[in-house]
Amino acid sequence: MILSLILLLFVTAGGIGVTLLFAGRKTLIWRISAGYIVGSCIFGAICFAGTFLVSFGWPLIVVSGLLAASPALLVRNKELHETFAREYFKAKGRIEGFTSGRVVNLLFYLFFLILFAAFFDRAMILEAGAIFTGASNNLGDLPFHLGAIYSFTDGANFPPINPSFAGAKFTYPFLADFLTATLVKLGASVQGAMLLENVSWAFALLVILETFAREITGSKTAGKIAVALLFFSGGLGFVWFLRDYWNGAQGLFEILWNLPMDYTIGDKFRWGNSLVVLFITQRSLLLGMPLALIVMQYLWRLLSDDQAADDNRVVLKASATVGILAGLLPLVHAHSLFVLFVVSAFFFPFSYRRFNAWIAFGIATAIPALTIVFWMMSGSASGAGSFFAWHFGFDSRGSNILYFWLKNTGIFIPVALFGVYLLSRMVVPKDGEQSDEDSEEGFSLLYLVYAAPFVFLFVVSNLAKFAPWEWDNIKILIYAFVGMSPFAAYAIVRVWRMGVIFKVAASGGLLILLASGALDVWRTASQQMKYGVFEKDAVALAEAIRDRTDEHSIILNAPTYNTAAVLTGRISAMRYVGHLSSHGIDYRGREEDLRRIYSGEATADLLIKKYGIDYILVTPRETLELDVNQDFFNRYELFAESGAYRVYRTGRK
């Protein structure tokens, strides 16, 4: 793990150098957080590109790390050095001169850091040789990410083939899992690498969102509330919790330590808390969102004309730099790039004074983005037509759409719209040192323009689906939520300032906004759940396959999410149909062939040759879900076994 930490320090230093090219007058904690995200993405892109030339191993990782760290030398530039030095000494002064406000600030960060550590520690649990997860919605996603990581570390999967569907290109944005693989190659455990990255990415997202919301609203308090709104997002599920409490025999503390269900996701709720249903399950979003917010923060500067006095060459260089970062998003999180496209389309007409900057940003984004998309889609098994269809109401399942969103988001939407009204009636300072003092009365179209793309994203996500599974629209809807969260936070701050009675109203409103999400996050972080994913024998068999088979072998297994094949690093002929369908892959023909092989039909041998299958798993997963003809497999060599888990080599005895 020491080598992994050294690598992360190097890439963070390089990322800090890059941020100095486009972001001035920031806090040191923002600079480090943004530098970590930017440096990680640049390092990942460089290292992945290097796999086309040399094998994936520590020499490539070290060289890529040094290249990614090289922008740190930009600090030698006098102007950039002064910027960084000013931020450093300002942060040092704050540490040395503690006040009550600074103590609260420190406790705020410390609380979330501890929360993230406890929460993400439940993503993957190793116990008695088996693998578990303590997150209610991570049962299928953990194996998916492990399959991707092991395919890089133990399967030499370059250029990447879909680990779940042999012969098809891996079009899922895999950079987050690839970055984990680099740490594993340097000696970290998969569990340790995932925990380190998940916690650090989440904390970086916190700092970046807090800064962004503060710049939008002019309120430091609103910045912190916006963070809480995201990580404790939810709806009115706490009402159901109170009902469970009143109708049950348990005391309050007893039920809090034994929560019977999630209160933001399930049969009754479909929005879900961001940590519970998104950040612990979709690691690509956890890395992609802070990167997208860094870009969005710069676009806000263009919209608000915060750079009016800057030299045009400086602005063009900054815009091109940010554009290149945005262009990496197809490798990181493709939906984030779509969101940036929508935001840019709304911002651009109102930023005519920075026309050249927008052109530089657009060109710099398009070159890497189109190159990556073209490469990923050539040879892809995903059907493009399955990613768009008219579909009303997100995942409301026929319920009244107004009641659906009230139940799932509570009072967030009206509070956020109230915040838009309040800010549009105010003139907020943009000096980078905003306070919570009221600004002068006036009217500003600026905030209406800012809110427009996020309202649009919400509306269009309720009219159409942008993935084969309609619930996946949440990858877009979450940005509508994040984009509007500064307004909701500002509304709470303003109401708080209006008097004693209003303080009670603001506190109650904030409690309503946070309660349901807090319950679900607490349920995970307090270790109330543990679900078995891979049994001890599955892990042992996978290790035998990794140690004794060619890294390019193809395995046949049951189409289930927790097949032992996931842990082998080898490509499967086919895995979980839920993942395949969500990626737009037509798997039905191959699934029928898979069943024919396991049942030992006359064409089984021909189908084994057709798909180039080298090894076949016969485990409790296969016997449970398929009609397994054991007499047919007795004709093949028993290659390895552990308990009831067996793998056969397809070469005849």
Side-chain angles (χ1 to χ4, degrees):
M1 184 63 78
I2 297 298
L3 292 177
S4 298
L5 292 173
I6 293 173
L7 172 67
L8 295 182
L9 288 175
F10 268 79
V11 301
T12 300
I16 288 173
V18 174
T19 65
L20 287 169
L21 294 175
F22 64 85
R25 303 180 67 180
K26 301 293 183 185
T27 61
L28 183 64
I29 193 171
W30 182 94
R31 186 74 63 188
I32 294 172
S33 299
Y36 172 56
I37 295 297
V38 168
S40 295
C41 292
I42 292 174
F43 161 72
I46 293 173
C47 192
F48 174 67
T51 62
F52 287 84
L53 303 175
V54 298
S55 61
F56 179 53
W58 70 264
L60 173 62
I61 295 171
V62 170
V63 171
S64 301
L66 291 174
L67 290 174
S70 61
L73 297 176
L74 291 170
V75 179
R76 298 172 61 183
N77 176 278
K78 181 180 179 181
E79 184 176 347
L80 299 182
H81 176 77
E82 290 176 353
T83 299
F84 184 75
R86 182 170 57 249
E87 294 168 355
Y88 171 77
F89 286 112
K90 192 171 184 179
K92 183 179 178 182
R94 287 174 175 172
I95 294 175
E96 293 174 345
F98 270 104
T99 63
S100 59
R102 290 169 184 173
V103 170
V104 170
N105 203 41
L106 177 62
L107 291 176
F108 172 80
Y109 292 131
L110 187 60
F111 166 78
F112 275 102
L113 185 61
I114 294 173
L115 175 66
F116 293 151
F119 183 84
F120 287 109
D121 185 56
R122 306 300 291 169
M124 179 180 177
I125 305 166
L126 298 178
E127 189 173 296
I131 297 176
F132 302 83
T133 184
S136 57
N137 289 272
N138 201 35
L139 199 58
D141 290 276
L142 174 61
F144 176 82
H145 291 294
L146 290 178
I149 294 167
Y150 279 117
S151 78
F152 295 135
T153 60
D154 294 270
N157 189 20
F158 302 102
I161 300 298
N162 193 326
S164 301
F165 203 73
K169 185 167 286 186
F170 197 21
T171 55
Y172 180 86
F174 51 77
L175 195 66
D177 291 328
F178 177 73
L179 286 169
T180 303
T182 63
L183 301 190
V184 174
K185 279 291 188 179
L186 291 180
S189 67
V190 173
Q191 181 191 26
M194 289 179 64
L195 176 61
L196 173 63
E197 291 178 327
N198 289 346
V199 172
S200 56
W201 291 343
F203 190 80
L205 172 58
L206 178 154
V207 173
I208 292 166
L209 175 59
E210 178 196 8
T211 304
F212 186 35
R214 187 175 72 239
E215 291 187 1
I216 296 293
T217 64
S219 168
K220 295 178 181 179
T221 305
K224 287 179 168 52
I225 293 176
V227 166
L229 292 176
L230 172 62
F231 290 117
F232 295 125
S233 60
L236 299 181
F238 70 92
V239 176
W240 276 256
F241 163 76
L242 293 175
R243 185 188 64 183
D244 291 340
Y245 166 63
W246 287 114
N247 294 337
Q250 295 176 308
L252 179 60
F253 290 102
E254 188 178 1
I255 192 174
L256 284 174
W257 281 98
N258 297 276
L259 291 169
M261 58 179 280
D262 284 332
Y263 291 97
T264 66
I265 192 69
D267 294 334
K268 296 182 179 66
F269 310 98
R270 301 305 301 155
W271 170 247
N273 168 262
S274 63
L275 278 168
V276 171
V277 304
L278 290 175
F279 296 141
I280 200 170
T281 62
Q282 301 181 27
R283 304 181 72 238
S284 295
L285 177 63
L286 187 57
L287 177 61
M289 181 173 285
L291 180 62
L293 285 178
I294 290 170
V295 177
M296 209 177 298
Q297 196 168 4
Y298 182 78
L299 299 184
W300 163 255
R301 291 178 60 196
L302 292 181
L303 176 66
S304 61
D305 203 31
D306 193 41
Q307 299 172 316
D310 291 348
D311 181 85
N312 188 57
R313 289 175 298 177
V314 173
V315 174
L316 290 178
K317 181 171 63 175
S319 298
T321 302
V322 175
I324 293 172
L325 296 178
L328 297 178
L329 279 169
L331 281 177
V332 183
H333 189 252
H335 286 81
S336 296
L337 181 62
F338 171 75
V339 169
L340 288 179
F341 176 80
V342 172
V343 170
S344 299
F346 276 86
F347 284 8
F348 173 70
F350 296 90
S351 309
Y352 62 90
R353 283 174 292 184
R354 286 301 183 187
F355 178 81
N356 291 340
W358 280 101
I359 295 300
F361 169 76
I363 294 175
T365 300
I367 292 174
L370 292 177
T371 301
I372 294 169
V373 169
F374 178 79
W375 171 78
M376 294 181 77
M377 295 310 298
S378 59
S380 168
S382 300
S386 63
F387 281 83
F388 178 83
W390 295 109
H391 180 84
F392 179 75
F394 177 47
D395 198 20
S396 58
R397 304 180 179 183
S399 63
N400 180 279
I401 189 65
L402 296 179
Y403 174 68
F404 171 81
W405 282 114
L406 175 63
K407 182 173 69 172
N408 279 273
T409 62
I411 61 174
F412 177 82
I413 294 175
V415 170
L417 293 178
F418 181 53
V420 174
Y421 166 77
L422 289 175
L423 271 171
S424 67
R425 300 296 302 178
M426 305 291 290
V427 180
V428 178
K430 302 187 293 293
D431 60 0
E433 293 292 337
Q434 300 93 331
S435 67
D436 290 334
E437 298 299 323
D438 286 347
S439 304
E440 299 177 3
E441 289 288 347
F443 175 78
S444 175
L445 181 65
L446 179 65
Y447 299 102
L448 297 179
V449 174
Y450 167 82
F454 302 108
V455 173
F456 173 82
L457 288 170
F458 177 79
V459 172
V460 76
S461 294
N462 278 276
L463 297 177
K465 61 177 183 176
F466 297 90
W469 183 27
E470 59 270 15
W471 188 84
D472 272 348
N473 268 18
I474 197 170
K475 298 175 183 178
I476 297 174
L477 284 166
I478 190 61
Y479 274 104
F481 184 92
V482 170
M484 296 297 286
S485 62
F487 294 118
Y490 183 75
I492 293 170
V493 171
R494 282 293 306 278
V495 172
W496 173 272
R497 297 180 192 157
M498 295 171 65
V500 176
I501 296 178
F502 290 99
K503 289 183 189 299
V504 175
S507 301
L510 184 60
L511 181 62
I512 291 172
L513 288 166
L514 304 181
S516 301
L519 286 169
D520 283 5
V521 172
W522 166 252
R523 187 174 184 231
T524 299
S526 59
Q527 304 182 13
Q528 296 185 31
M529 300 168 288
K530 188 172 72 172
Y531 304 98
V533 185
F534 297 104
E535 297 176 350
K536 179 180 179 180
D537 288 329
V539 176
L541 186 72
E543 290 176 352
I545 294 173
R546 285 205 308 267
D547 294 340
R548 297 169 51 193
T549 64
D550 182 85
E551 57 192 13
H552 297 295
S553 301
I554 295 178
I555 295 178
L556 185 71
N557 50 264
T560 181
Y561 66 89
N562 61 341
T563 171
V566 164
L567 305 175
T568 65
R570 309 302 182 249
I571 304 297
S572 288
M574 177 181 170
R575 289 183 191 165
Y576 184 41
V577 298
H579 293 152
L580 298 176
S581 62
S582 67
H583 297 161
I585 296 175
D586 185 0
Y587 59 84
R588 289 167 294 183
R590 189 171 297 193
E591 184 182 23
E592 289 300 317
D593 289 342
L594 178 152
R595 295 183 181 277
R596 292 189 182 99
I597 294 174
Y598 273 103
S599 63
E601 292 187 10
T603 58
D605 284 331
L606 292 177
L607 291 173
I608 289 173
K609 292 180 180 179
K610 173 184 176 181
Y611 293 108
I613 296 167
D614 301 296
Y615 298 92
I616 302 178
L617 293 183
V618 179
T619 77
R621 296 292 92 198
E622 283 70 36
T623 56
L624 178 66
E625 300 192 12
L626 302 168
D627 178 20
V628 177
N629 184 343
Q630 187 60 52
D631 291 336
F632 173 75
F633 291 104
N634 288 338
R635 300 154 54 192
Y636 293 95
E637 174 191 354
L638 179 61
F639 179 75
E641 66 178 322
S642 180
Y645 285 74
R646 297 178 176 85
V647 59
Y648 293 88
R649 194 201 305 265
T650 56
R652 293 292 183 89
K653 288 184 179 178

